[in-house]
Amino acid sequence: MNAPERFLLPDLQNSADERELAIDRVGIKSIRHPVSIAGPDGSNQATVAEFDMFVGLPKHLKGTHMSRFIEALEAHSQPLSLAGVRALHNDVLKRLEAQAGYLVMRFTYFLRKHAPVSGVPSLLDYDVTFTDEITQSGNRITRVRIVVPVTSLCPCSKEISAYGAHNQRSHITVTLQLREAVDALQPIIRLVEEEASCEIYGLLKRPDEKYVTERAYDNPKFVEDLVRDVARRLEREPNVEAYTVEAENFESIHNHSAYAMIERPQRTGSAMSQNPR
């Protein structure tokens, strides 16, 4: 096949559709791609991310061009921050000539932590999700979701027991709608860990284990305390437009989890969701 014949191949996706039904989201889902995450100090962290990328399809078009999502992803090889994800999303909409879109990026983020007494270093992993949505009216909503593993110790168990108290590993999940697309991972992780009975580490020596055991015992918290204390801190964060805080305690004395959630919608008078591309 020569070049002119190749370019004359029919493009059914661009043909008209007579069913008069617009599609809210169409695109590709669960595509894994190596990425580099930009840190606030200029460092870059290599990881593998999973993307969902969708656009809105007008009622008069039969289909979208799936290959262009991949082309946009391949074109953005620079380290990604939250602002970089928004730039990627803008490029997707431009390539597909779409007004509305929805992009999700899920990845594992690592922080190097130092044990509280020995100072021995180790990595701890956190599940992070970036979400960027642009509506047909041009409103933009950018969210960050972080799952932070911590330790919690039951105040009731401590109160009623002659010695000891049951504790458990917990997940505190914060979902934040931000005014500005700035790096927020490390500050938010620190904020959450400070409100737990104790933070956790990848590697502990015996003096460190003594410290974290006693730290949790001196700082008992119900699952309700976890979400309230984190929410109280988020209320004072000027870049947080709206938030959801969830806590799940994987109970050590039960075969079920304890759960609590606080959700605060977008604050009145904000212009965040009206921020254009």
Side-chain angles (χ1 to χ4, degrees), residues 25 89 101-102 131-135 139-143:
R25 293 178 188 174
H89 195 189
Y102 190 85
T131 304
D132 192 46
E133 179 179 9
I134 299 176
T135 67
N139 291 342
R140 182 166 217 158
I141 302 172
T142 303
R143 295 187 177 94

Side-chain angles (χ1 to χ4, degrees), residues 38-267:
D41 57 355
S43 62
N44 300 321
Q45 183 179 131
T47 187
V48 176
E50 184 179 72
F51 290 86
D52 300 337
M53 295 187 285
F54 312 115
V55 295
L57 187 69
K59 62 182 180 181
H60 64 276
L61 287 180
K62 188 173 186 63
T64 192
H65 294 273
M66 299 292 181
S67 62
R68 295 181 186 177
F69 292 99
I70 310 299
E71 290 173 349
L73 191 56
E74 291 285 348
H76 287 258
S77 59
Q78 75 276 15
L80 288 175
S81 60
L82 192 56
V85 169
R86 293 177 73 164
L88 168 61
H89 195 189
N90 290 344
D91 189 26
V92 168
L93 296 186
K94 181 179 179 181
R95 289 172 185 267
L96 287 144
E97 301 177 354
Q99 295 298 314
Y102 190 85
L103 187 147
V104 181
M105 174 182 170
R106 295 176 291 269
F107 60 96
T108 302
Y109 185 71
F110 292 90
L111 280 182
R112 185 168 296 281
K113 304 181 65 174
H114 294 270
V117 179
S118 69
V120 61
S122 60
L123 291 174
L124 194 65
D125 57 298
Y126 305 83
D127 292 332
V128 178
T129 303
F130 290 161
T131 304
D132 192 46
E133 179 179 9
I134 299 176
T135 67
Q136 287 288 353
S137 60
N139 291 342
R140 182 166 217 158
I141 302 172
T142 303
R143 295 187 177 94
V144 178
R145 180 180 184 269
I146 311 173
V147 181
V148 182
V150 297
T151 292
S152 61
L153 184 135
C154 178
C156 185
S157 174
K158 177 180 177 180
E159 182 68 21
I160 64 177
S161 300
Y163 49 87
H166 79 83
N167 57 16
Q168 51 270 322
R169 186 165 54 89
S170 305
H171 281 174
I172 302 177
T173 302
V174 291
T175 304
L176 311 177
Q177 183 176 324
L178 302 177
R179 285 192 176 95
E180 302 293 335
V182 298
D183 180 84
L185 295 182
Q186 293 187 28
I188 295 300
I189 288 171
R190 280 308 307 154
L191 181 155
V192 172
E193 290 179 334
E194 288 169 0
E195 297 305 326
S197 292
C198 187
E199 60 186 289
I200 66 173
Y201 302 85
L203 177 61
L204 296 172
K205 298 297 186 179
R206 279 191 292 271
D208 304 309
E209 187 172 353
K210 179 179 185 298
Y211 172 89
V212 298
T213 300
E214 294 174 347
R215 164 65 179 166
Y217 188 80
D218 291 336
N219 190 31
K221 293 199 176 187
F222 291 118
V223 68
E224 297 93 336
D225 296 320
L226 295 176
V227 295
R228 282 173 169 152
D229 290 344
V230 172
R232 185 174 57 179
R233 292 279 300 274
L234 292 176
E235 289 284 348
R236 302 196 293 266
E237 292 293 320
N239 195 38
V240 174
E241 185 63 31
Y243 65 83
T244 301
V245 182
E246 301 170 85
E248 182 177 3
N249 289 352
F250 304 101
E251 296 288 295
S252 60
I253 63 170
H254 303 295
N255 196 27
H256 60 260
S257 295
Y259 175 84
M261 184 265 279
I262 293 177
E263 185 173 33
R264 291 293 180 265
Q266 187 172 313
R267 296 167 190 174

Side-chain angles (χ1 to χ4, degrees), residues 1-11:
M1 179 184 297
N2 59 38
E5 290 175 329
R6 183 171 68 250
F7 292 127
L8 290 176
L9 290 174
D11 185 359

